[in-house]
Amino acid sequence: MKPESHLFYQTRSRRPVLAEARGVYMWDVDGKRYLDGSSGAMVSNIGHSNPRVLDAMRRQMEKSTFGYRLHFETEPSERLAAKVASLSPAGMEKVFFVSGGSEAVESAIKLARQYAVTVGQGSRWKVISRDPSYHGSTLGALALTGYAPLSDPFLPMMQPMPKIPAPRAYLEGLDINNPATGAHYAAMLENKILEEGADSVLAFIVEPIGGASTGALVPPAGYMQAVREICDRYGVLLIHDEVMSGGGRTGKFMGAEHFGVEPDIIAISKGFGAGYAPLGAMIAHDRLVDPVLDAGGFLHGHTYAGNPLACAAGLAVIEEIETGGLMQNAGRMGGLLKARLENLMQRFSFIGDVRGEGLLLAFELVADRQTMQPLPKALNAYNELVELAYAEGLIIYSRRTRGGLEGDHFLVCPPMIISEGQVDEIIDMLTSALDKFAARAGLALETA
């Protein structure tokens, strides 16, 4: 029996103690092996315990592990900032390092606001986001989040921001490949800007490819381009939340590259540091940063911003992604894995949708494919299937699909080093878990 834990997270449930992790696999202290089919929380993009990244971190540890940003510049942070700028759209030359995604989003909205104040647009303060969405757990980021179970308890403590529906065309029976569908959802942004008053709207924040809250949602044709045009029309800044879609997981370093759209500010984390050190960044266009710096500086900061050890790890992670061809592998293996997940729809009639790009993939369970009615809430599928897969030795990630209250989708996002044989392992274990879930829930399989 395990001793009482002094740690607490979200619930009283306990997990096995982690012994070691290498590549796509993890082992507990009893020797059981797990395939990390979600890269943790879509973090471990290059796999676990990469020796070249560990070596780079050891070398930096011999030099320094901390240097406060107001006291010193550090070589790793300068080099990483230059590298990030080279991977970002033209003109986005300014990088502000943080320790995680929530901090990156907070930094983005605070820079946007400070820029507006600096250039005489102090009436702009509203940041429009989507529902559902997830942008972080701090109160500022949570105000942007459209996921009621996470945000509702804290509403009296924060300033909720306007929301528009996420473009979940599959739920409405709309063709994702039809530009009219993209225009339909983008028009909701324009309508919201006009409803709120254009001179009060500061920014629109969007995940180019959805994360946990929408389950790897790929926007319909033309949506991202139309959003950019609308923001330009009304002087609204466009913030891309690439916390989950950035870092190469979709087959490109930034998810927005799939659509040829450039934002004004980017928030990135998770796979950017790949779990080797807490690391994230806000990347901003010079035209936003320069006026703020000229006016006296960015009124914001975190103790570990630009930590040299974290930045050394980040540099090594990017080098591994580039020299190892991991973005190309994410594209190839993502296509294979997505096809294999789509094949499961022939076996399991309750899989209603498979979506995503590269190795940012998800599938959703439904009671009826025609109406996309969710499974009964009481089945608790989003938790039950995760547990069944875990028992098989497969780690996947889930969320409630419909307002955080019902509906069930599952992210399958293994590290970018995944091989074809390991894709087969994922599908075999997932099939077994789905078979057991169907039997336990009394769900019929697809009939010929």
Side-chain angles (χ1 to χ4, degrees), residues 358-380:
L359 286 172
L360 181 54
L361 299 172
F363 64 95
E364 184 164 340
L365 303 188
V366 297
D368 186 308
R369 282 184 189 164
Q370 299 303 312
T371 65
M372 298 303 286
Q373 177 184 349
L375 290 173
K377 181 178 178 180
L379 286 179
N380 202 24

Side-chain angles (χ1 to χ4, degrees), residues 223-238:
Y223 176 81
M224 293 297 293
Q225 295 86 346
V227 159
R228 176 72 269 184
E229 292 170 3
I230 291 166
C231 287
D232 288 342
R233 189 178 310 146
Y234 294 99
V236 172
L237 298 177
L238 178 59

Side-chain angles (χ1 to χ4, degrees), residues 31 115 148 150 154 166 197 240 249 293 314 375 410 446:
Y115 166 75
L150 295 178
F154 308 103
H240 282 176
R249 171 163 293 282
L293 296 182
L375 290 173
F410 304 84
E446 190 71 75

Side-chain angles (χ1 to χ4, degrees), residues 37-349:
S38 63
S39 301
M42 287 59 74
V43 174
S44 301
N45 281 15
I46 68 167
H48 300 276
S49 303
N50 181 286
R52 288 167 292 279
V53 176
L54 297 180
D55 284 345
M57 295 177 72
R58 289 189 193 99
R59 290 193 299 271
Q60 182 58 42
M61 289 171 70
E62 294 293 332
K63 297 178 181 179
S64 67
T65 58
F66 180 73
Y68 189 48
R69 63 189 179 87
L70 298 183
H71 297 160
F72 292 97
E73 295 181 4
T74 68
E75 181 185 355
S77 61
E78 292 290 339
R79 289 179 57 207
L80 181 57
K83 183 62 179 178
V84 170
S86 75
L87 293 168
S88 302
M92 300 192 74
E93 299 282 344
K94 297 296 188 292
V95 180
F96 185 90
F97 290 118
V98 295
S99 297
S102 297
E103 289 184 3
V105 169
E106 290 271 350
S107 301
I109 60 177
K110 289 180 78 173
L111 176 67
R113 171 60 182 169
Q114 194 171 339
Y115 166 75
V117 171
T118 299
V119 298
Q121 298 182 11
S123 64
R124 294 184 183 269
W125 60 272
K126 298 174 184 175
V127 180
I128 298 173
S129 58
R130 307 192 304 186
D131 192 357
S133 63
Y134 180 74
H135 296 291
S137 59
T138 55
L139 290 179
L142 199 57
L144 308 175
T145 291
Y147 201 80
L150 295 178
S151 57
D152 282 3
F154 308 103
L155 288 176
M157 303 172 68
M158 62 189 183
Q159 175 67 62
M161 292 292 174
K163 307 288 189 301
I164 62 170
R168 297 187 292 175
Y170 69 98
L171 291 182
E172 299 185 45
L174 300 177
D175 181 3
I176 190 175
N177 297 310
N178 187 342
T181 302
H184 164 71
Y185 286 105
M188 296 178 184
L189 172 61
E190 184 168 25
N191 292 339
K192 180 61 71 173
I193 291 172
L194 295 174
E195 176 187 327
E196 296 291 332
D199 61 351
S200 73
V201 178
L202 174 65
F204 176 54
I205 186 168
V206 59
E207 292 178 299
I209 298 172
S213 61
T214 56
L217 183 71
V218 176
Y223 176 81
M224 293 297 293
Q225 295 86 346
V227 159
R228 176 72 269 184
E229 292 170 3
I230 291 166
C231 287
D232 288 342
R233 189 178 310 146
Y234 294 99
V236 172
L237 298 177
L238 178 59
I239 302 171
H240 282 176
D241 182 343
E242 296 264 14
V243 168
M244 198 170 289
S245 56
R249 171 163 293 282
T250 69
K252 297 183 182 295
F253 192 75
M254 300 292 185
E257 293 178 47
H258 292 280
F259 314 108
V261 175
E262 298 180 358
D264 302 295
I265 305 175
I266 298 171
I268 188 171
S269 188
K270 288 188 179 286
F272 178 51
Y276 288 85
L279 182 65
M282 171 187 66
I283 311 159
H285 200 285
D286 291 27
R287 67 179 179 82
L288 305 183
V289 176
D290 287 344
V292 170
L293 296 182
D294 291 343
F298 185 29
L299 304 177
H300 179 62
H302 297 284
T303 300
Y304 294 102
N307 176 269
L309 182 58
C311 289
L315 272 168
V317 167
I318 292 178
E319 183 175 357
E320 196 67 18
I321 290 171
E322 292 185 328
T323 61
L326 299 191
M327 286 187 279
Q328 294 85 347
N329 194 61
R332 289 192 301 269
M333 291 299 104
L336 175 63
L337 179 55
K338 187 177 183 183
R340 299 292 300 278
L341 290 171
E342 289 170 340
N343 287 343
L344 290 180
M345 296 179 74
Q346 300 174 24
R347 179 184 180 97
F348 301 103
S349 61

